[in-house]
Amino acid sequence: MAIPASELPVAARAPGKCILFGEHAVVHGRPELLLAIDLYTQVAARAAERLSLNGDAEEVGRHPYLTRALAELWDPSRPPLAFTSVSRVPPSAGLGSSAAFSSATAAALIAATGGSERSHLAQAAFDIERGAQGVGSPGDTSASVAGGLVALNAGTGSLLWEVAHGDRRWQVRRVTDPGWVWLVAHTGVPRNTGETVRAVGRRLAEPDGPALLDRFEEVARAGIAAVLAEDRTEVGRRFQENQELLRTLGVSHPKLEALLEAVAPSVEGAKLTGAGAGGSIVALPRPGHEVEAQRRAARAGALAFIVRASPSGARVVEAPSMA
Ligand code: MEV
């Protein structure tokens, strides 16, 4: 579905995400599988006398994603906008808060300037996130724009769109949602995607780098096949293998390891999700053990959510009344 044109005030909502297989390796052209989760960020914009975010004019300059979105999508000759942003996606947690903010803001601004195709929104949301972060793949923003499950660099599933940066291109494909319930849990340790991606780039420049990437690819391909085959045990096993590789890359963290150990008795498998070095884990609970897994994560000090695939991606919603 395209993004329809809308008058101001306008609001849009976009989901966060978690990465099931292939984080980091995707930046180096290898396959990745992402799940858009049913935790959302909503951004509303109305014409105002001066630019502001959540009632604070200073906040705009401190928010690189908003600054970037305005530079990409809002002609300065148009009226200034007052933005309001509310979110259930924990920030700096590896759960796609910046992708959800970039996608929702881009959807709102695109709607206010005549609407467009979803593929254009996917490119715009990536340009905003990449512009603010300086590195990275379009996986997070494409999951947020598409909803459900999506794969990059995998050759599996129907093509949704292609996203480009310079002469690099990524194909984003739809993967069928098996309809499962997942656990995501945030350690509370904030992480910085840009720094972690750069550190991984240095690690992969070591002699075993290419072999490690081949192994990431093998596990991601097997993981995607297991999701498509709805084989929960195999997905759990591939999660463990993917986590082993992420440890070798140096992006795990003692708090992530403690959390993985805490949930282990009630899940098929678990791994860190996103950039790592802090942030969150994703786990596939054993059927009937979902709340137990959530409790175990909470007792270990995490902010834990039971999630499903978001049935829709970024979309325009009714703007809240703003007096
Ligand atoms: C961040 O959520 C995932 C990374 O693979 C970076 C990226 O793909 O942009 C670590």
Side-chain angles (χ1 to χ4, degrees):
M1 216 177 58
I3 302 301
S6 172
E7 299 286 316
L8 290 171
V10 63
R13 200 172 91 152
K17 68 87 195 41
C18 67
I19 298 174
L20 300 181
F21 294 103
E23 50 269 270
H24 286 296
V26 67
V27 178
H28 304 273
R30 305 306 175 110
E32 179 185 46
L33 180 66
L34 305 103
L35 169 78
I37 56 179
D38 52 356
L39 299 175
Y40 301 92
T41 296
Q42 185 163 315
V43 176
R46 65 179 165 85
E49 305 235 309
R50 60 182 193 151
L51 191 58
S52 66
L53 174 60
N54 293 334
D56 184 350
E58 311 267 291
E59 191 57 24
V60 178
R62 289 194 287 263
H63 202 300
Y65 298 92
L66 181 55
T67 313
R68 201 77 204 188
L70 287 164
E72 299 272 345
L73 297 169
W74 197 248
D75 189 324
S77 65
R78 287 176 181 267
L81 295 172
F83 288 90
T84 314
S85 165
V86 291
S87 183
R88 291 182 64 213
V89 189
S92 301
L95 296 176
S97 61
S98 59
F101 182 88
S102 301
S103 304
T105 307
L109 294 176
I110 285 173
T113 48
S116 85
E117 290 309 311
R118 197 159 279 269
S119 54
H120 172 61
L121 172 60
Q123 180 70 53
F126 174 52
D127 290 344
I128 293 165
E129 194 184 54
R130 169 102 193 194
Q133 264 171 212
V135 286
S137 80
D140 294 13
T141 43
S142 273
S144 185
V145 169
L149 269 79
V150 299
L152 264 74
N153 304 333
T156 308
S158 57
L159 183 67
L160 287 172
W161 48 70
E162 220 175 66
V163 180
H165 181 76
D167 53 10
R168 290 201 63 184
R169 297 195 124 55
W170 291 264
Q171 289 199 336
V172 181
R173 292 176 183 273
R174 168 62 73 212
V175 170
T176 308
D177 173 20
W180 296 339
V181 162
W182 309 80
L183 174 80
V184 293
H186 177 34
T187 56
V189 179
R191 92 289 154 267
N192 179 311
T193 302
E195 269 172 30
T196 315
V197 167
R198 285 185 197 97
V200 166
R202 291 191 291 276
R203 171 66 186 84
L204 288 171
E206 290 178 23
D208 65 344
L212 255 176
L213 281 175
D214 287 349
R215 192 66 196 112
F216 266 100
E217 173 153 2
E218 209 178 294
V219 171
R221 287 197 186 282
I224 294 170
V227 168
L228 287 171
E230 301 188 18
D231 183 341
R232 303 171 61 91
T233 313
E234 178 69 0
V235 169
R237 204 165 70 78
R238 297 297 180 179
F239 267 8
Q240 304 299 117
E241 288 180 355
N242 199 147
Q243 175 62 20
E244 199 47 59
L245 291 169
L246 289 161
R247 275 185 202 120
T248 310
L249 270 194
V251 296
S252 197
H253 184 280
K255 288 238 161 99
L256 286 167
E257 294 295 332
L259 198 46
L260 292 171
E261 203 180 309
V263 301
S266 45
V267 303
E268 312 275 10
K271 59 181 274 294
L272 71 82
T273 186
S280 301
I281 64 158
V282 58
L284 179 59
R286 297 203 332 261
H289 293 258
E290 297 79 9
V291 176
E292 182 194 325
Q294 186 183 27
R295 281 212 187 98
R296 284 178 176 278
R299 273 204 300 269
L303 180 62
F305 302 87
I306 298 171
V307 297
R308 282 183 180 279
S310 161
S312 67
R315 65 190 174 93
V316 174
V317 294
E318 198 177 324
S321 62
M322 291 181 284

